[in-house]
Amino acid sequence: MNAQPRRLENIQTDRGSVPVYTTGIVEQPWNDYSDVDHDVWRRLYERQRNVLPGRACDAFLHAQDTMRMTPDRIPKFSELNKVLGDATGWQIVGVEGLLPELDFFTHLANRRFPVTWWIRRPDQIDYIAEPDLFHDLFGHVPPLMDPTFADYLVAYGEGGVKAHGFGPDALMQLARLYWYTVEFGLMRENGQMRIYGAGIASSAGESVHSVESAAPNRIAFDLERIMRTRYRIDSYQKTYFVIDSYEQLIEATRPDFAPIYARLAMQPTVPAGGVLETDAVLQHGSGEGWSAEGDV
Ligand code: PHE
Ligand code: FE
């Protein structure tokens, strides 16, 4: 059976109340995974590998193959770490679940990606509110094989450590940036909408919704717009932000954020489904709308 993770406290975010677990690094207890655990991995892996071709960006699918993740068993962190370390110097470290922000940022700044060691139960195949091994490993680790994305995430971690001294507003703005890029980012590749965000890539339903549904807005990447945009954890996204390449992420986030945090503190936030006059809208959502003229 799955062992139960140990909860410490809850933190309040845009997404509601989120549990924070113990902060230490744990050795992946690979020998303790049950047949049920391996079977959950296999079912999720096979389903996503059927859904993602033609929907995920090339780099994502290619990286997963290179890392030799396979359906037959839960991968060993130690084996993935050899390939990952050679490619970009990143390492996976096992954790119980979500970490306090400063611990998380510090790991990223040091090229360590925290991966939840336990996998969801069979009755949670379609949806689990908190990150588990499948989300973390299948969704987050392949992009770390790309040198540019790998550098972006280091810069993000360093930026997070720095932002910690700026207070809760700055941290919330940074959390939105992570949400709309690392978790729910889309990329235009050869004129097509493609997935690179881990939250999409690890969800069968959202993989289809994000690139094929007419409901969400798809808006060209805009750093400050993203940092003002609220988000929901409990539904498909109402808005996706679209990059042209990982280089765009690095370049757009290179400037010092200190004046940006100060400027954004003076501006209203934008609802998750909001559209502004200044947005470069690539595809307008048909979902229930919100506009700048409507109620704020
Ligand atoms: N350039 C940002 C700063 O000065 C750091 C950062 C980089 C934040 C990449 C997010 C992503 O704070
Ligand atoms: Fe995640």
Side-chain angles (χ1 to χ4, degrees):
M1 269 310 288
N2 282 303
Q4 273 304 108
R6 299 183 294 278
R7 300 199 166 182
L8 268 190
E9 56 176 311
N10 289 315
I11 51 167
Q12 206 54 39
T13 72
D14 273 10
R15 301 162 286 166
S17 180
V18 167
V20 176
Y21 300 105
T22 50
T23 58
I25 287 175
V26 294
E27 189 76 18
Q28 183 189 25
W30 197 85
N31 290 322
D32 296 342
Y33 292 132
S34 67
D35 290 346
V36 173
D37 291 331
H38 288 295
D39 197 56
V40 167
W41 168 267
R42 184 186 57 73
R43 287 165 62 190
L44 286 165
Y45 183 96
E46 287 179 344
R47 181 167 72 177
Q48 280 315 91
R49 288 295 300 203
N50 285 329
V51 168
L52 290 183
R55 295 193 176 97
C57 67
D58 288 340
F60 187 95
L61 293 167
H62 181 71
Q64 240 169 22
D65 293 337
T66 312
M67 299 194 77
R68 293 189 298 271
M69 285 193 198
T70 59
D72 51 294
R73 59 183 182 109
I74 293 173
K76 290 187 178 168
F77 296 174
S78 56
E79 289 175 7
L80 297 178
N81 274 341
K82 287 182 203 142
V83 188
L84 190 55
D86 284 347
T88 59
W90 273 79
Q91 293 286 280
I92 296 164
V93 292
V95 291
E96 300 283 352
L98 290 172
L99 298 175
E101 272 159 336
L102 190 55
D103 295 82
F104 182 62
F105 293 143
T106 305
H107 280 307
L108 299 185
N110 290 285
R111 289 186 188 259
R112 293 188 299 265
F113 196 85
V115 170
T116 307
W117 67 263
W118 53 270
I119 195 161
R120 69 191 74 181
R121 300 186 311 261
D123 60 291
Q124 296 169 312
I125 289 261
D126 286 324
Y127 183 75
I128 180 166
E130 47 193 310
D132 74 332
L133 177 138
F134 183 74
H135 166 78
D136 287 340
L137 214 52
F138 186 95
H140 280 292
V141 173
L144 296 174
M145 293 285 286
D146 182 281
T148 310
F149 185 86
D151 285 351
Y152 168 66
L153 212 51
V154 173
Y156 183 91
E158 291 168 348
V161 172
K162 178 174 129 188
H164 215 75
F166 287 75
D169 287 352
L171 290 174
M172 185 61 77
Q173 291 163 17
L174 264 192
R176 294 181 185 131
L177 177 62
Y178 189 88
W179 189 258
Y180 284 114
T181 61
V182 179
E183 294 288 357
F184 289 96
L186 293 181
M187 180 189 297
R188 245 182 322 191
E189 192 178 67
N190 305 319
Q192 307 284 318
M193 287 293 172
R194 292 287 189 254
I195 299 157
Y196 73 91
I200 309 177
S202 60
S203 157
E206 191 141 7
S207 291
V208 177
H209 176 86
S210 64
V211 292
E212 281 162 38
S213 169
N217 303 308
R218 297 178 184 85
I219 298 173
F221 178 92
D222 174 334
L223 178 69
E224 296 189 26
R225 166 67 159 90
I226 288 176
M227 291 169 76
R228 291 171 58 199
T229 308
R230 306 204 296 265
Y231 61 90
R232 296 278 301 265
I233 188 179
D234 55 357
S235 63
Y236 295 155
Q237 301 306 304
K238 295 188 172 12
T239 299
Y240 298 95
F241 290 93
V242 185
I243 61 172
D244 287 316
S245 65
Y246 288 144
E247 280 76 18
Q248 185 182 10
L249 284 180
I250 292 259
E251 289 310 317
T253 55
R254 202 186 294 284
D256 180 10
F257 279 17
I260 299 180
Y261 296 137
R263 185 159 63 239
L264 293 184
M266 315 292 290
Q267 293 181 26
T269 59
V270 182
V275 176
L276 305 177
E277 271 174 25
T278 45
D279 286 339
V281 179
L282 306 172
Q283 289 169 13
H284 218 123
S286 62
E288 105 267 20
W290 174 95
S291 74
E293 300 88 72
D295 55 320
V296 179

